[in-house]
Amino acid sequence: MLLVYMTITGNVKDFIERVDMKSHEINPTNPFHEVSEDYIVVVPSYENMITEEVSDFIDYKGNREHLLGFASSGNLNFDDLYCVNAKELSAKYSKPLIFTFEYAGTDKDLENFKKEVNKIAVSPINV
Ligand SMILES: Cc1cc2nc3c(=O)[nH]c(=O)nc-3n(C[C@H](O)[C@H](O)[C@H](O)COP(=O)(O)O)c2cc1C
């Protein structure tokens, strides 16, 4: 199981490092990287950014076949736009948004995220 992520100011990267699972960071200027294992995409939220680069990654070669779902960092002050990019991606690819958190996430968020990952992972991870 791989965590594929994007980060602009570092919050998602911080979260991913604390989750301590195998990961791949999408390079926004060259998102075209092929993966050969199941993955969950973890993205920040920036209204008009993110969705396109992440779509480029998912649509590249056979990557879409391995997509299991999405998780997202956002800020609840954005109300209806909370985690907007992950919601768009979830609808576009018909895959679940399994978890949302604010900023870099709390320790409780890490724990709950891992539980959600285990619900959709074929091989359980350590929680
Ligand atoms: C310019 C800007 C726009 C943002 N837009 C949204 C938004 O539409 N929805 C949301 O939930 N959070 C929004 N946020 C909050 C970020 O997604 C949040 O801080 C996130 O943790 C950033 O992750 P990163 O540090 O990995 O880039 C925005 C933040 C900034 C600075």
Side-chain angles (χ1 to χ4, degrees):
M1 171 69 81
L2 188 66
L3 299 180
V4 171
Y5 71 98
M6 265 190 75
T7 190
I8 304 294
T9 64
N11 287 339
V12 171
K13 190 180 188 72
D14 183 302
F15 181 82
I16 296 286
E17 285 175 357
R18 283 153 58 229
V19 171
D20 195 23
M21 285 172 60
K22 195 173 163 190
S23 63
H24 166 73
E25 181 175 357
I26 296 176
N27 176 348
T29 56
N30 182 13
F32 307 103
H33 172 82
E34 188 176 15
V35 294
S36 55
E37 61 188 304
D38 289 349
Y39 61 90
I40 291 166
V41 174
V42 187
V43 290
S45 314
Y46 289 98
E47 297 173 55
N48 296 326
M49 294 165 62
I50 306 295
T51 305
E52 196 177 323
E53 290 85 350
V54 173
S55 295
D56 284 342
F57 170 86
I58 294 171
D59 295 338
Y60 186 61
K61 296 197 172 172
N63 285 356
R64 189 168 177 167
E65 287 166 38
H66 298 290
L67 172 65
L68 295 183
F70 298 93
S72 179
S73 168
N75 175 340
L76 282 166
N77 290 336
F78 284 84
D79 289 325
D80 287 352
L81 291 176
Y82 180 57
C83 294
V84 62
N85 306 94
K87 288 174 184 167
E88 283 171 9
L89 287 160
S90 172
K92 178 175 179 181
Y93 291 100
S94 302
K95 294 289 180 183
L97 175 56
I98 64 163
F99 196 71
T100 61
F101 55 97
E102 286 196 283
Y103 306 109
T106 62
D107 288 346
K108 192 74 190 162
D109 287 328
L110 288 183
E111 201 181 300
N112 290 333
F113 171 74
K114 289 181 184 181
K115 284 182 189 159
E116 294 305 318
V117 170
N118 267 340
K119 285 184 193 165
I120 61 168
V122 177
S123 310
I125 58 162
N126 289 329
V127 292

